Amino acid sequence: KQEVTQIPAALSVPEGENLVLNCSFTDSAIYNLQWFRQDPGKGLTSLLLIQSSQREQTSGRLNASLDKSSGRSTLYIAASQPGDSATYLCAVKSNAGNNRKLIWGLGTSLAVNP
Amino acid sequence: ETGVTQTPRHLVMGMTNKKSLKCEQHLGHNAMYWYKQSAKKPLELMFVYSLEERVENNSVPSRFSPECPNSSHLFLHLHTLQPEDSALYLCASSQQPYQETQYFGPGTRLLVL
């Protein structure tokens, strides 16, 4: 059974720092992995989607990497800003059988302090 | 704005009440979802609808009753809920069922007393 773990659960950094959020999954047979952002009182917004054949995806100051063999993904945020404060969720879609659902981590709550 | 709206945004209800959550998507999508987000738990997929037909029901208790009158609207009817049902209920939509690119509404924060 696929399980997704995110470390750390919470992170507080000063503005301007580069930071890394981690996501690990137990079954490497994944179809893709996705990073989402959730702001308080708002829904989830997809940030980056990495297909199983890809190693990384970039969008602005965000870079997500995928290492299927080790069951890990990282989300790198460069030059963090207070506006980056949010909860970041990782979700994987398994490649096994008829399992079509996204399997979610608990998220990392990020606070970027001015 | 994500194009998916949910009402109400906050709801407090007693265990004997009956209430409904509403979701509307303005994106022309064919699939809609209800998720439950509880503290200390991963997002749980509750129901999936494709063109108004329910295609997945993840062992959700019968006190939660979904309704999809058309491809733009999704309801979640609630009755005789328990305090452990208190959570954030998120609606989402996608072009086709189970697509990764899902658009989420802001959620309804539900508190059951």
Side-chain angles (χ1 to χ4, degrees), chain B residues 36-66:
Chain B
K36 177 183 179 181
Q37 187 175 34
S38 307
K40 309 292 185 187
K41 290 185 178 181
L43 238 67
E44 300 172 52
L45 179 63
M46 300 175 72
F47 302 104
V48 181
Y49 274 82
S50 174
L51 293 172
E52 304 139 50
E53 179 181 343
R54 191 189 311 178
V55 297
E56 182 152 356
N57 175 350
N58 280 312
S59 303
V60 179
S62 60
R63 57 186 184 268
F64 295 91
S65 176

Side-chain angles (χ1 to χ4, degrees), chain A residues 31-32 34 36 38 41-45 49 89 93 100-102 104-106, chain B residues 9 35 37 40-43 45 56 58 88 90 98 100-102 104-106:
Chain A
Y31 190 69
N32 57 47
Q34 194 164 183
F36 289 83
Q38 185 174 24
K42 295 188 179 180
L44 281 68
T45 302
L49 171 66
L89 294 157
K93 188 170 186 178
R100 301 170 290 181
K101 295 183 292 188
L102 295 175
W104 298 81
L106 287 175
Chain B
R9 296 293 308 277
Y35 285 91
Q37 187 175 34
K40 309 292 185 187
K41 290 185 178 181
L43 238 67
L45 179 63
E56 182 152 356
N58 280 312
L88 180 68
L90 292 163
Y98 302 103
E100 295 80 6
T101 309
Q102 297 178 19
F104 285 80

Side-chain angles (χ1 to χ4, degrees), chain A residues 1-59:
Chain A
K1 178 187 172 186
Q2 179 74 274
E3 292 184 3
V4 177
T5 303
Q6 291 189 245
I7 295 173
L11 183 62
S12 180
V13 300
E15 182 177 4
E17 270 201 13
N18 302 323
L19 55 98
V20 175
L21 307 182
N22 297 291
C23 173
S24 61
F25 44 95
T26 54
D27 185 350
S28 61
I30 65 168
Y31 190 69
N32 57 47
L33 182 145
Q34 194 164 183
W35 284 93
F36 289 83
R37 169 183 174 141
Q38 185 174 24
D39 293 277
K42 295 188 179 180
L44 281 68
T45 302
S46 178
L47 297 173
L48 291 164
L49 171 66
I50 312 177
Q51 301 295 343
S52 61
S53 59
Q54 298 175 317
R55 293 299 299 265
E56 66 177 348
Q57 282 285 348
T58 298
S59 176

Side-chain angles (χ1 to χ4, degrees), chain B residues 19-21 24 29 44 47 50 63 77 81 96 106 109:
Chain B
K19 297 286 185 183
S20 295
L21 310 185
E24 184 174 359
H29 289 166
E44 300 172 52
F47 302 104
S50 174
R63 57 186 184 268
H77 303 299
L81 293 192
Q96 299 299 333
R109 176 69 63 184

